[in-house]
Amino acid sequence: MAVARRTQAAGGMGFDLWASPHFLVVHRRQIQLEAFWRGMEDGLSEIRTWGMRGCVVLDAVNHFGPKHGQAVLDLVLPELPAFVKGFSTGGLERCPFRDWAPVFDRARAAGLHIAAHAGENGPGSNVQDAVLEGGVSRIVHGIRADDSTLALLAERRIPVDVCPSSNRSLAPDVDPHPLPRMLLAGVRCALGTDDPGVVPCDLNTELTAAGDMGLDDLALARLRRNGAEDAWCLAD
Ligand SMILES: [Zn+2]
């Protein structure tokens, strides 16, 4: 299961969890949908006892194409649990985001926030395309974005989840890591863990990695604050 998680800050702490029901229920046939949701609900109840909140973001695989995205929605929309707050593409950035726009529109009409995994294993132009052609309101990674795209992200106050461990493993050519440049450009970056099952990490390793890039305490605090202010689990 693809899982990313964030976020923490003063006033609350929570996790936006990327989860892939279609992959496990239909593709792998490992679990029934009801049992999948029950597991998610149990986990979210447990973290509430720790004083935290959480929500689920549906993960659809970009390189399976928009048909797969529609199949994810076909599976979950008839009985969508209230703790599902978002829809996102993950996987390899092979399918243009303009082709995903009808899927995003349908998910948005169902009340979901929309994110895209863009600008990590695909070109930086994917970030701009996801925003302008896909209409997404959140980016995961965005590390290949050029200066004009960073300006666009800053102007539209679009949150960008960055996971240095994932980036260094899957996009080692992007060096030095652009997180300081992204923050300097005014982009609302926060730290995330992408899929710790693929590249092991947690929020502490990512905070340490950010500190090792020379970010000062103020910048590290801004990462935490952005994470809390933009987290969908804390939005309402
Ligand atoms: Zn990733």
Side-chain angles (χ1 to χ4, degrees):
M1 174 167 36
V3 171
R5 59 180 188 171
R6 52 192 288 240
T7 174
Q8 64 183 90
M13 191 178 190
F15 296 93
D16 290 349
L17 300 165
W18 262 240
S20 308
H22 188 277
F23 187 73
L24 295 175
V25 172
V26 178
H27 196 75
R28 286 265 177 92
R29 296 175 188 272
Q30 281 180 333
I31 189 170
Q32 298 282 319
L33 185 61
E34 299 73 34
F36 179 86
W37 289 140
R38 237 185 352 264
M40 288 283 133
E41 189 156 31
D42 287 352
L44 294 173
S45 303
E46 189 178 336
I47 68 169
R48 268 198 300 276
T49 67
W50 305 341
M52 291 158 49
R53 287 164 68 179
C55 73
V56 168
V57 179
L58 301 165
D59 186 54
V61 183
N62 183 321
H63 59 273
F64 289 175
K67 257 193 188 162
H68 158 74
Q70 296 288 9
V72 173
L73 294 176
D74 289 343
L75 177 72
V76 302
L77 286 188
E79 287 185 78
L80 192 68
F83 54 72
V84 178
K85 296 278 183 69
F87 180 91
S88 174
T89 56
L92 301 175
E93 302 164 42
R94 286 192 187 143
C95 182
F97 286 104
R98 85 181 75 87
D99 295 350
W100 277 86
V103 183
F104 293 155
D105 286 347
R106 186 177 167 208
R108 200 179 294 107
L112 300 176
H113 300 280
I114 312 295
H117 221 90
E120 188 194 44
N121 58 64
S125 57
N126 276 353
V127 178
Q128 190 170 328
D129 293 349
V131 173
L132 297 182
E133 297 180 19
V136 310
S137 57
R138 181 164 162 185
I139 293 288
V140 182
H141 299 309
I143 56 165
R144 294 185 192 273
D146 61 13
D147 287 346
S148 70
T149 305
L150 293 182
L152 174 80
L153 295 171
E155 185 197 318
R156 299 199 177 195
R157 298 176 62 79
I158 291 182
V160 178
D161 301 339
V162 177
C163 176
S165 292
S166 168
N167 303 153
R168 290 204 165 113
S169 170
L170 303 176
D173 58 305
V174 184
D175 186 41
H177 194 284
L179 180 57
R181 189 165 64 84
M182 295 165 82
L183 285 171
L184 211 59
V187 178
R188 295 184 63 80
C189 295
L191 295 171
T193 59
D194 200 282
D195 187 339
V198 176
V199 179
C201 65
D202 58 33
L203 284 177
N204 289 327
T205 63
E206 302 319 282
L207 256 181
T208 302
D212 289 347
M213 293 175 201
L215 293 175
D216 61 15
D217 288 348
L218 215 61
L220 296 176
R222 181 149 35 113
L223 288 171
R224 288 199 204 89
R225 195 174 62 237
N226 288 345
E229 289 177 357
D230 296 330
W232 292 337
C233 66
L234 302 176
D236 41 42

